[in-house]
Amino acid sequence: IWCCLPQSFPDGIDFKVEGEKKPFVVSYPCSMLNAQTHHDCINPQYHTLVNEDKQEYQVHSECSILFELDGPYKAMILPASKEEGKRLKKRYAVFNFDGSLAELKGFELKRRGELQLIKMFQSEVFKRFLDGNTLEECYASVAAVANQW
């Protein structure tokens, strides 16, 4: 699950521990999200086999959803669906502040066995997503690559 937080949002809380040189740091957003998720989304129906001969199970609760904080990043690109109500595969590109790709998921550029032509096109397009100071300037830069192809 991705969520965007302003860079000014409080990130970590440092606890000074007696006898330790480094403070113990707790991520505020993750702690709050994890506590709320554990409270609201715990599944009390997990069964663990404790005696195979008697087919006895122990019932326990579990919440396997955990949040972690990543970033900050300069930009995240998510493709839009062409049709309303139609879901897309998990695809996104995340850029660092220096313009490098931090993460790339689901695009042909990353997959083996895809046409080299598509990979070359995507490679050129991704370089242009951070061009300009406005959305229109960014679109114009990306469109220039598309028109070239």
Side-chain angles (χ1 to χ4, degrees):
I1 299 171
W2 284 88
C3 68
C4 295
L5 300 173
Q7 195 168 2
S8 61
F9 196 85
D11 177 14
I13 299 171
D14 294 2
F15 292 97
K16 293 181 180 163
V17 180
E18 196 173 308
E20 294 291 326
K21 291 181 183 178
K22 293 184 178 180
F24 178 71
V25 182
V26 175
S27 170
Y28 176 75
C30 293
S31 296
M32 296 309 296
L33 288 168
N34 287 333
Q36 189 68 43
T37 303
H38 185 78
H39 181 268
D40 294 342
C41 302
I42 196 160
N43 185 346
Q45 303 176 49
Y46 277 90
H47 290 69
T48 303
L49 182 63
V50 291
N51 188 330
E52 194 170 343
D53 295 333
K54 295 181 182 179
Q55 289 294 300
E56 290 178 352
Y57 291 84
Q58 179 182 8
V59 179
H60 62 95
S61 299
E62 192 171 305
C63 182
S64 57
I65 302 169
L66 290 174
F67 288 87
E68 62 183 52
L69 194 61
D70 230 0
Y73 297 110
K74 182 171 186 170
M76 181 176 190
I77 310 299
L78 300 163
S81 177
K82 294 176 186 175
E83 300 173 35
E84 188 176 335
K86 186 170 182 175
R87 293 184 178 195
L88 289 176
K89 293 180 182 176
K90 191 175 190 180
R91 295 171 70 147
Y92 56 86
V94 181
F95 293 90
N96 289 316
F97 283 97
D98 65 2
S100 63
L101 271 171
E103 202 169 333
L104 186 66
K105 184 101 176 168
F107 287 97
E108 289 78 6
L109 180 62
K110 190 109 182 214
R111 295 188 201 136
R112 287 179 280 160
E114 294 291 337
L115 288 174
Q116 193 63 30
L117 180 71
I118 295 171
K119 288 182 175 187
M120 290 168 53
F121 172 73
Q122 285 185 353
S123 175
E124 288 188 36
V125 166
F126 285 135
K127 291 176 191 172
R128 300 290 191 92
F129 277 125
L130 300 180
D131 287 355
N133 293 319
T134 66
L135 194 55
E136 289 78 17
E137 290 174 1
C138 172
Y139 285 169
S141 182
V142 172
V145 172
N147 289 338
Q148 178 186 352
W149 282 83

